[in-house]
Amino acid sequence: MHWTPKIRLVTVLLSVVFVLGTALQNFVVIDLDLIERSMRLKGVPTEDAPTYLAALRLVGNVFIAGNALGLLVWFRWRWLFWPVLAVNAAQACGVVIVPFEVHRAAFGEHGWPGLLPSLVTDGGAVVLTIVLIVAYVRSRRLTRTGDPVRL
């Protein structure tokens, strides 16, 4: 896909927001107490909380690196389209994958600021995924040969 100036700017700016939001979520909002509280809210034993926290932080670090890849879109490298789309589509899944109890625990511990990083990164990833898919489809639809065109 050809990175048009608008799509490129939106992708880079949102990638900055997602890197910062995911880092904030991963290292400030989520801690062992929050994980244990969310496990108690769900009604499951808390002895696996440290392992769950480590796995959650590992996933968060992967998303930080993946979102940082979105910053490279500024250089208009076409090969970045599919990895950036994949990272954002995966992060968008957080809207339904993250248990509601984690959000309740974050709200109980930090109030609304505890929910914002997750809402912004996961919800924003939904929006960016849709924007990228629409841009891709439009770029393919506007040509007979299948070569991308500027939108």
Side-chain angles (χ1 to χ4, degrees):
M1 183 179 113
H2 178 76
W3 291 103
T4 64
K6 288 178 186 175
I7 298 296
R8 191 179 80 196
L9 181 63
V10 166
T11 302
V12 169
L13 290 177
L14 287 177
S15 294
V16 168
V17 170
F18 298 164
V19 166
L20 296 174
T22 305
L24 188 64
Q25 178 76 11
N26 209 29
F27 300 110
V28 176
V29 174
I30 300 291
D31 61 9
L32 188 57
D33 292 336
L34 186 132
I35 295 300
E36 288 175 344
R37 179 184 287 183
S38 67
M39 292 174 97
R40 281 192 294 277
L41 286 169
K42 194 165 178 108
V44 297
T46 60
E47 62 264 358
D48 291 334
T51 305
Y52 185 75
L53 176 62
L56 194 60
R57 285 207 171 134
L58 177 65
V59 169
N61 289 337
V62 168
F63 280 123
I64 291 169
N67 287 319
L69 190 64
L71 301 174
L72 298 176
V73 167
W74 189 255
F75 299 109
R76 298 183 202 143
W77 295 331
R78 290 182 183 192
W79 64 269
L80 283 171
F81 177 77
W82 294 109
V84 169
L85 179 61
V87 166
N88 282 285
Q91 191 157 8
C93 292
V95 171
V96 293
I97 290 176
V98 175
F100 182 71
E101 290 80 11
V102 173
H103 296 298
R104 283 182 52 204
F107 183 77
E109 191 170 317
H110 302 288
W112 283 106
L115 296 178
L116 285 178
S118 182
L119 293 175
V120 168
T121 57
D122 297 351
V126 169
V127 172
L128 184 55
T129 299
I130 292 169
V131 166
L132 291 175
I133 290 170
V134 168
Y136 178 78
V137 168
R138 286 188 66 202
S139 73
R140 292 294 176 196
R141 208 181 258 171
L142 293 174
T143 63
R144 290 183 201 162
T145 62
D147 294 334
V149 296
R150 296 181 82 90
L151 297 178

